[in-house]
Amino acid sequence: MDAERVVVIGCGYVGLTTGACLARLGHDVTCCDVDGDKIAKLARGEVEIREPDLDELVSEGVAAGSLRFTRDSARAVAAAEIVFLCLPTPMGADGAADLSAVETVADEVRELLPRGAVVVTKSTVPVGTAMRLTRLLGREDVAVVSNPEFLREGFAVQDFLHPARVVVGAEEQQAAERVASLYDPLDARAVLIDPVSAELVKYAANGFLATKLSYVNDLAELCERTGGDIDVVTEGMKRDHRVAPSFLSAGPGWGGSCLPKDTAALLHTADSAGVGFPLLCAAVRANTHHQARVVRKVVDCCGGDVSGSRIGLLGLTFKAGTGDLRDSPALAVARMLSDLGARLRGYDPTCAERSEVERTRCVADPYLAAEDADVVVLLTDWAEFAVLDWAKVAEVMRAPVLVDARNQLDPRALTREGMTWRGTGRTLR
């Protein structure tokens, strides 16, 4: 593998992980961002993103001189061999991905790119983006390659350095091989395909995972109606080698920075192509339904009306191990409860310094969230909730009732501590 001069434009979650990991693999990397304060902190090795091992990788790269940070993207691009676009592609009002940031940067770098450079889209972009950028750049001597990221929050560094697959999509074989060679030190075979298929892979994967989660939550509702136990059912499913064991945990619905945005973009693409995609449409509707089911359980526990009731929320991020609040199902539940007149106090280990999130007053510890509460709802399965003093929680509550939306806790142990427990797809036997 020959070391490449790589420029990463965008120092968000994907960009910073990509830059730091490519530097670890031996490449000369410059990361660019318009946020001067962020760049200054990163240049000192200070990482504000909550992600295991990322701060160590950044510090290591900065100290070794293989990783640099700058706001001067023009100067960096002019010396680049490969340029990664790691820019936000938020969901627009119609569900389509907003490519304005990507197109703006492409326009800015068009005349700066050296002859023979390769532009790589790393962020999740809709079908046809590679072709669109090729036209926008208008440079026959510059190739555009799609190299979608498959990074799970909380495992981003691990996923980058130990990938299940590396997908590279390009019309030009030489450009595809050049991007694929960046990953040569890794134990992963690069799949070289056309750019349209590469752009579809990420959406296809996330659409499938969203559907799988909605399916499991539908099963959980069926278990509640029939007396089954969703944990037992899914354990049986996992023993079938044809059913992958991940994404089989019932909960308060799915969310985060990827699944809602990517399912919406995939449905928009399908609609534009005249494809109905009824299965994915149903999965999205089911997700809203299961968030509302959590709310109905809380309402039932309050005697049919939560107006004026004090509700404690444990966990606000979309999943444990991350500080990401984007499209969190916990916050969707909070909004619905607030709309019904509930007074909310919430605790999350990543939100201790906030005063309020989505009409939820943030407090410094879980016992404060439970204090004088009529119901406590466990919405994000942080490990610390499993070791709380639940007898103390029951003691400080007005009514010791827990809605365990993640099935994180042992209902019998909670009962012994004086709590009334209500789970997801399970009944106390």
Side-chain angles (χ1 to χ4, degrees):
M1 177 203 75
D2 294 328
E4 298 269 13
R5 291 193 305 276
V6 176
V7 169
V8 177
I9 300 182
C11 291
Y13 180 82
V14 172
L16 186 58
T17 302
T18 298
C21 288
L22 287 175
R24 162 62 74 84
L25 295 182
H27 301 289
D28 184 79
V29 181
T30 301
C31 293
C32 309
D33 200 282
V34 295
D35 187 334
D37 184 56
K38 178 191 292 185
I39 288 295
K41 289 179 179 177
L42 290 172
R44 297 192 297 266
E46 299 175 15
V47 177
E48 294 185 337
I49 297 173
R50 184 186 180 105
E51 188 63 42
D53 302 322
L54 184 56
D55 52 351
E56 289 92 340
L57 273 186
V58 170
S59 296
E60 174 188 292
V62 169
S66 58
L67 180 63
R68 292 170 298 280
F69 297 92
T70 181
R71 288 186 64 191
D72 190 354
S73 57
R75 183 176 181 181
V77 167
E81 294 175 307
I82 298 179
V83 177
F84 279 83
L85 302 183
C86 301
L87 299 158
T89 54
M91 181 172 63
D94 61 352
D98 181 354
L99 284 176
S100 57
V102 174
E103 292 178 342
T104 297
V105 169
D107 185 58
E108 291 173 350
V109 305
R110 181 174 61 236
E111 301 299 331
L112 301 170
L113 290 162
R115 185 176 182 81
V118 177
V119 173
V120 183
T121 56
K122 192 67 173 172
S123 302
T124 306
V125 294
V127 174
T129 299
M131 186 181 302
R132 197 166 167 179
L133 287 179
T134 298
R135 289 197 300 266
L136 179 60
L137 290 171
R139 295 276 303 271
E140 293 184 359
D141 60 328
V142 172
V144 176
V145 173
S146 175
N147 176 216
E149 55 88 9
F150 302 100
L151 307 179
R152 297 169 296 163
E153 291 195 41
F155 301 90
V157 172
Q158 176 183 321
D159 288 344
F160 193 104
L161 297 178
H162 305 280
R165 73 283 203 200
V166 174
V167 175
V168 180
E171 295 292 352
E172 300 179 20
Q173 181 73 12
Q174 184 177 6
E177 291 174 353
R178 193 168 161 196
V179 171
S181 71
L182 294 172
Y183 303 92
D184 280 351
L186 303 179
D187 184 22
R189 183 176 67 88
V191 181
L192 307 186
I193 55 179
D194 65 276
V196 171
S197 296
E199 290 163 347
L200 267 173
V201 167
K202 178 65 180 294
Y203 287 117
N206 280 350
F208 179 77
L209 295 177
T211 302
K212 191 174 181 181
L213 287 169
S214 287
Y215 177 74
V216 169
N217 281 331
D218 282 347
L219 282 177
E221 184 174 8
L222 180 61
C223 285
E224 290 177 17
R225 299 288 182 89
T226 59
D229 186 319
I230 188 61
D231 289 353
V232 174
V233 171
T234 54
E235 184 58 35
M237 293 171 64
K238 292 174 185 177
R239 294 177 184 273
D240 186 332
H241 71 276
R242 298 168 300 175
V243 180
S246 60
F247 285 77
L248 283 179
S249 297
W254 41 266
S257 61
C258 291
L259 294 192
K261 177 174 72 73
D262 291 355
T263 52
L266 183 55
L267 287 173
H268 183 273
T269 299
D271 183 64
S272 299
V275 176
F277 226 140
L279 181 62
L280 187 57
C281 288
V284 173
R285 288 195 301 271
N287 192 49
T288 302
H289 168 73
H290 290 298
Q291 292 169 355
R293 278 205 329 119
V294 178
V295 174
R296 286 199 296 274
K297 289 177 183 178
V298 177
V299 172
D300 289 346
C301 291
C302 290
D305 183 9
V306 294
S307 180
S309 296
R310 188 185 296 279
I311 310 298
L313 306 180
L314 296 182
L316 300 174
T317 55
F318 87 96
K319 72 172 184 177
T322 175
D324 200 340
L325 296 168
R326 288 175 290 180
D327 278 308
S328 170
L331 298 186
V333 170
R335 284 191 294 272
M336 285 185 266
L337 287 170
S338 179
D339 288 342
L340 294 173
R343 295 178 296 161
L344 306 175
R345 281 192 299 194
Y347 168 75
D348 188 285
T350 68
C351 299
E353 296 181 0
R354 294 173 178 260
S355 59
E356 184 175 293
V357 175
E358 289 286 355
R359 293 171 276 179
T360 300
R361 178 190 165 200
C362 295
V363 293
D365 70 64
Y367 302 105
L368 286 175
E371 190 173 36
D372 294 327
D374 296 287
V375 177
V376 164
V377 192
L378 195 159
L379 292 164
T380 311
D381 51 352
W382 288 97
E384 67 182 85
F385 297 152
V387 294
L388 288 182
D389 183 342
W390 284 97
K392 179 179 177 180
V393 174
E395 184 180 318
V396 300
M397 291 180 68
R398 183 180 303 168
V401 179
L402 172 73
V403 173
D404 185 355
R406 297 280 182 176
N407 289 342
Q408 183 183 16
L409 306 173
D410 180 349
R412 292 180 181 81
L414 287 176
T415 301
R416 290 194 295 270
E417 300 292 358
M419 297 289 299
T420 297
W421 174 90
R422 189 164 177 184
T424 301
R426 301 180 66 196
T427 54
L428 184 58
R429 297 179 184 277

